[in-house]
Amino acid sequence: MTSVTEPTRASRPALEARRSGWTTPLLLWLASRVVSTGLLATVFVVATANGWAFASHRRDPSFFTFSGSWDASFYRTIAEHGYPTTLPLDAGGHVAPNPWAFLPVFPALARAVMPLTGGSFWIAGVLVATVAGAGACVLLYRLVLAVGYSHRARWATALFAFGPTAFLLQVAYAESTFLLLLFGALLALVRRRYWLVAPLGVVAAFTKPGVLALAVALAVHLVVRWRTERRALPVRDAVGIVVSGLVVAAAGLAWPVIASAVTGRPNAYLDTELSWWVGFVGRQNFAPLTPWFRMAGTWLGPLGIVLVVAVLVGAVWFWTRPAVRALGVDVLSFTASYGLYLVAVFLPQQSLPRLLMPMAPLLGSDVFVRTRRRASSWLVVGVCLQPVAIVLLWFLGYP
């Protein structure tokens, strides 16, 4: 007779799989935090001892304020004071950089935690980001596991957690919170839990821009299921996909409308975003699919245009490789559409490395993890580049 308190032999593999779905990514996350914290602390100590000028020199310089450098100051303003109802203007009457470029979920979470930290946004922001980073590692592991094999999931999570920009998973930025929600939504899509995609996608839409790529992935998913299943596609599933896609798309387009309504300025959000372009390409009007060419042309001339074309051709080649297609249509359509989103609206500069982090599911492809030697090589490269990224992004240009 089998004891009810002891798993049967048939259930043990499933139980072990459930346990590894938590323990493996959390252990990888924990080890990676030791590395990232050590690197950040080392740079902080060296910079402080040598009097290096960096963004976190404030009235109370500490490791936590150092971990809240650059754009985190805008999140602090939102957490403590909310959004301005009147946009700040420069001497020429143009909109100046302001908090409307940053969405509210991360500062709201930090504000909720602040009473536990003595009212310090910097500590609260680091705590929220670090916990969300752990969740993002768990969900990335489960996402890659759902579309591949366990060794791919382990290596993809390791490459993500130890990568060049992995230190951003614990600083007071919204990246890890967005990735947590995004990977959760993609996992729900892969598992066909469509009614869960919508709430995760909506919250993600108010955490960072880019969630429209998820709506595109839902649309592609519907087309593929329609073509492969024909009349066998359940009505409930079709309705769930359509409704979730429309809800996520509406949420992804809502923030500019909200910014305009609150400030009374029709293009409040767009003008705010363009204010960050001035130092790179001067005062510009926005046109989709032109920012990369504009940036490259400004700094490199005709050679820059050729370089952008080469990058785009290389991207198409990469996404059409069998090793990448093996990740499945959902991961493929999301990452490709997210890449298209970056090309369509984003001016490429020092923020690009962190904006590429939502493409982390691609790390589960054989391009990176086909063999242990290949995966190990990529891991070593990532760990070696992380201190370089910290110095370059945290001192020479905010990420």
Side-chain angles (χ1 to χ4, degrees), residues 295-350:
M295 182 71 166
T298 299
W299 289 89
L300 299 175
L303 177 61
I305 304 300
V306 174
L307 179 61
V308 171
V309 172
V311 168
L312 297 179
V313 171
V316 173
W317 171 81
F318 175 82
W319 265 286
T320 55
R321 295 188 65 181
V324 177
R325 296 203 311 269
L327 290 173
V329 66
D330 298 323
V331 169
L332 188 69
S333 59
F334 168 77
T335 53
S337 57
Y338 181 80
L340 179 60
Y341 156 78
L342 291 180
V343 173
V345 306
F346 176 70
L347 189 74
Q349 22 84 9
Q350 65 265 30

Side-chain angles (χ1 to χ4, degrees), residues 4 11 103 156 171 186 191 198 212 219 261 270 316 337 364 369 373 376 385 387-388:
V4 295
S11 68
L103 284 89
V171 302
L186 284 173
R191 292 179 173 176
L212 288 176
L270 179 60
V316 173
S337 57
V369 300
R373 181 176 181 178
S376 300
L385 286 180
V388 177

Side-chain angles (χ1 to χ4, degrees), residues 131-141 157 160 169 176-177 179-180 183:
V131 172
C137 286
V138 171
L139 291 175
L140 176 62
Y141 177 90
T157 306
F160 171 72
L169 295 175
S176 58
T177 306
L179 294 169
L180 169 69
F183 295 160

Side-chain angles (χ1 to χ4, degrees), residues 142-290:
R142 294 188 172 195
L143 173 61
V144 177
L145 185 63
V147 299
Y149 304 98
S150 59
H151 81 276
R152 288 182 181 177
R154 288 193 299 271
W155 279 113
T157 306
L159 295 178
F160 171 72
F162 288 92
T165 56
F167 70 97
L168 290 168
L169 295 175
Q170 69 181 74
V171 302
Y173 271 43
E175 255 59 38
S176 58
T177 306
F178 181 64
L179 294 169
L180 169 69
L181 296 163
L182 191 59
F183 295 160
L186 284 173
L187 179 59
L189 175 59
V190 169
R191 292 179 173 176
R192 299 186 177 184
R193 298 177 181 176
Y194 305 119
W195 296 105
L196 183 57
V197 177
L200 291 172
V202 168
V203 180
F206 290 96
T207 305
K208 278 187 64 65
V211 80
L212 288 176
L214 180 61
V216 174
L218 281 160
V220 173
H221 181 92
L222 176 62
V223 171
V224 170
R225 286 203 64 185
W226 182 268
R227 292 184 60 184
T228 56
E229 299 180 25
R230 301 291 181 177
R231 297 178 181 179
L233 176 63
V235 174
R236 174 183 171 82
D237 283 2
V239 172
I241 297 169
V242 172
V243 171
S244 294
L246 292 176
V247 169
V248 170
L253 297 171
W255 191 244
V257 178
I258 294 172
S260 297
V262 173
T263 62
R265 188 181 182 104
N267 294 316
Y269 178 73
L270 179 60
D271 291 342
T272 296
E273 288 287 354
L274 291 177
S275 67
W276 264 272
W277 291 24
V278 176
F280 298 98
V281 293
R283 187 71 56 184
Q284 297 282 345
N285 293 319
F286 174 74
L289 298 174
T290 63

